[in-house]
Amino acid sequence: MKTRNKLTRTRKLLFMAFIIFLQIYWYKIRRKPKDKWEILWGEIGERFRKTLFELEGLLIKIGQFLSTRADLLPSAFIHQIEDLTDHVPPSNWIEIKEILEKEWGNSLNKNFISIEKTAIASASIGEVYKGVLQNGTEVAIKVKRPNIDSVIQTDFRTLSIIIWFADHFVPMPKGFINFKVLFKELKQVIERELDYSKELDTILFFRERFKDMNVVQIPSVYPELSTPNVLVMEWIEGIKLTDMKGLNLLTESREELAKRLFKVFLPQWLEPGIFHADPHPGNVLISKEGKIILLDFGMVGEISKQDAAYFQGLIQSILSKNYPKAVDCLIHLGFLLPEAESRTIERLLAELIAIQPSQLKEMDIFALKMEMNDLLQALPIQVPTRFVFLGRSFVTIEGIIRNLTADSELIDLLKPVFIEWLGKQGNKWSFVWQWIQLQPIFKIFHSVMEFLDAPQKLELLKEIEQRRQFQFTIYENHKKQLFQLTLIGFTGIVVGIYTISSLIWQMSCGVTVVSFFGYFICSYKQRKWMKYMHEKRR
């Protein structure tokens, strides 16, 4: 770790945040145009990226996390941090050896014939070494970096200060990002990743979950050698999904590998429970037998039963091209804000699904991605924070599958896998019913019912909006009155000092203090109410 000193890390983090806050305030005061803001966010992203690489540790994880929030963060900022890699130079072997001996309480020779002194992989939290047990079995030894717990706790404390300040004083746009929720979820994920005993339990869970699926391979673990700081697993070698030469040597086609990959991850995304949240090409390999190898279960997410049901409905709707139903699922999941126009979102979904692979080849993919980021920010769409890791998992696997099967129609390729999964879940009749509802006679019936319900829905929306506006006006009027009282109090203080009247001075001080605190309390209640309304909208 380049910078372990707590004061140095804290100082550099706070200095970076202070400079960024000043820049945002300055641009806000000067009312800079949109193109200038884009340049600023690019500069902020570059400064952020350089600081991450300098301090490493938790900050690399934060950068990777934020790079998934294209729906909330400016595209210029995302562009600077989207390719962050969690690769840190390995620690000194002497320090790693001391950790292993401390955790096992004995000499390494008791359990191992040998352990390679050079790390096979090295990241911000842990490192992996290859070892050979006394019985000749090759294993992977995952060890936490020296002093990483202390470094991360320091970073968390510093970040909590920055987030508190940003949440209360930085003029971010409405709905820009919920810092508190984001920080809470990030802290939960990182703290879980710091405890290898939890990762061991996760591996055992996945081994049990996929025990009957012969196309997936998950390493076995050695609980007797594992601790919260050390995890010993079966050593598994495989081919990276980006190694096209290696994949061409397999008997299975790339299309078959893509189906198997989808078959392994589909249940994770659509069934209640935990899912692999970091399936990058280094963590998902292919064995010589064509099996999907899953590695590194430190970062996982969880799906509730209710969310799983709506996600299943969303996928069914897209496959059956029932876009009104798909929009309804998106609303229940919280992806669409109330002001979203359903018809517009339906047309957008239809256009996105209609894009052919041949068209994608002719497009500038980077430009398309930037355009999609801008579209997400322009439309009343926001990814709920609880789905950030799910989205990361899905997008990563989707990218791998597209890379494997560039010439295939993605939906046609994966649809049979989904239908097979539906059959196992007992939901195939739901899919058939959705298809029937799309037939012309049902479309006419649906349109008539929607037309009849429209006045009532419009009236309800109008009433809700009026109530929101009324409550907002009340808060604004109270703040205006209290601000005026504060000004009167200040004026009274000046008059009291000028006329040397203690009575006027004391009364004015009392009015000023009371009105100032009243203004602060009213502002706090208004912010709290707006956040509450924002959460409800999400």
Side-chain angles (χ1 to χ4, degrees), residues 228-488:
N229 297 316
V230 178
L231 179 61
V232 181
M233 303 166 285
E234 173 190 4
W235 180 268
I236 300 179
E237 292 188 358
I239 304 167
K240 283 191 174 183
L241 287 163
T242 53
D243 181 6
M244 295 305 166
K245 290 183 179 178
L247 295 178
N248 289 336
L249 298 176
L250 300 175
T251 56
E252 291 79 9
S253 66
R254 294 185 190 178
E255 287 74 16
E256 177 59 29
L257 293 177
K259 288 181 180 179
R260 290 184 180 184
L261 188 61
F262 190 62
K263 187 176 183 180
V264 170
F265 276 88
L266 185 66
Q268 298 182 49
W269 299 329
L270 298 182
E271 295 176 10
I274 58 176
F275 59 89
H276 197 305
D278 193 23
H280 62 74
N283 291 339
V284 183
L285 308 176
I286 301 293
S287 70
K288 292 180 180 179
E289 297 76 29
K291 292 185 177 182
I292 306 296
I293 301 172
L294 298 184
L295 303 173
D296 194 352
F297 293 86
M299 186 179 289
V300 294
E302 188 169 1
I303 302 174
S304 69
K305 186 178 290 187
Q306 184 181 39
D307 286 338
Y310 282 120
F311 272 119
Q312 291 174 25
L314 176 64
I315 302 299
Q316 289 179 29
S317 302
I318 290 175
L319 289 177
S320 61
K321 298 184 179 179
N322 187 346
Y323 301 120
K325 180 67 176 178
V327 170
D328 184 61
C329 291
L330 288 172
I331 291 172
H332 281 94
L333 287 167
F335 285 91
L336 299 182
L337 301 178
E339 58 265 31
E341 213 288 311
S342 297
R343 297 288 188 187
T344 302
I345 305 300
E346 288 172 25
R347 288 195 296 271
L348 179 63
L349 282 174
E351 289 173 6
L352 290 174
I353 300 301
I355 295 177
Q356 301 294 325
S358 57
Q359 292 176 287
L360 286 173
K361 280 184 176 182
E362 298 169 2
M363 293 180 183
D364 182 340
I365 299 299
F366 179 77
L368 178 63
K369 186 177 180 182
M370 290 297 101
E371 188 177 336
M372 288 299 296
N373 289 348
D374 294 338
L375 183 63
L376 283 173
Q377 292 175 346
L379 290 171
I381 298 172
Q382 182 169 310
V383 179
T385 306
R386 69 185 189 278
F387 295 139
V388 169
F389 291 103
L390 181 66
R392 175 179 178 172
S393 176
F394 177 80
V395 169
T396 305
I397 294 299
E398 188 255 358
I400 292 173
I401 290 175
R402 283 195 182 278
N403 189 47
L404 284 173
T405 60
D407 297 326
S408 303
E409 175 61 60
L410 205 59
I411 289 184
D412 292 340
L413 180 71
L414 302 180
K415 193 171 182 178
V417 179
F418 182 75
I419 298 298
E420 180 187 348
W421 177 82
L422 275 181
K424 292 179 180 178
Q425 297 298 310
N427 293 330
K428 57 185 177 182
W429 294 114
S430 172
F431 180 78
V432 172
W433 172 240
Q434 286 202 45
W435 178 83
I436 292 174
Q437 286 180 303
L438 286 175
Q439 303 313 304
I441 185 65
F442 281 90
K443 280 190 172 183
I444 294 171
F445 177 76
H446 175 75
S447 299
V448 171
M449 294 303 296
E450 193 176 56
F451 175 77
L452 294 175
D453 290 339
Q456 186 178 355
K457 288 181 179 179
L458 287 172
E459 191 63 33
L460 181 61
L461 287 172
K462 184 178 178 181
E463 182 180 349
I464 292 171
E465 189 58 37
Q466 285 175 341
R467 288 180 180 178
R468 288 177 180 170
Q469 189 62 38
F470 180 69
Q471 184 64 47
F472 184 80
T473 303
I474 289 175
Y475 280 124
E476 284 296 306
N477 287 340
H478 286 170
K479 284 172 63 180
K480 184 177 180 181
Q481 292 165 1
L482 289 166
F483 182 72
Q484 290 171 348
L485 273 177
T486 304
L487 290 179
I488 292 171

Side-chain angles (χ1 to χ4, degrees), residues 148-199:
I148 188 64
D149 292 272
S150 175
V151 169
I152 285 182
Q153 289 306 317
T154 299
D155 289 349
F156 271 135
R157 282 194 293 269
T158 308
L159 282 172
S160 65
I161 295 171
I162 294 171
I163 285 172
W164 181 88
F165 187 85
D167 196 46
H168 286 81
F169 300 107
V170 179
M172 296 293 185
K174 285 184 182 180
F176 181 74
I177 196 165
N178 190 323
F179 288 106
K180 289 182 180 178
V181 174
L182 195 63
F183 179 72
K184 181 180 178 182
E185 182 162 336
L186 178 65
K187 191 174 182 181
Q188 288 175 344
V189 170
I190 298 299
E191 287 179 345
R192 180 187 179 93
E193 199 168 350
L194 282 169
D195 187 349
Y196 286 169
S197 60
K198 291 182 179 178
E199 184 173 350

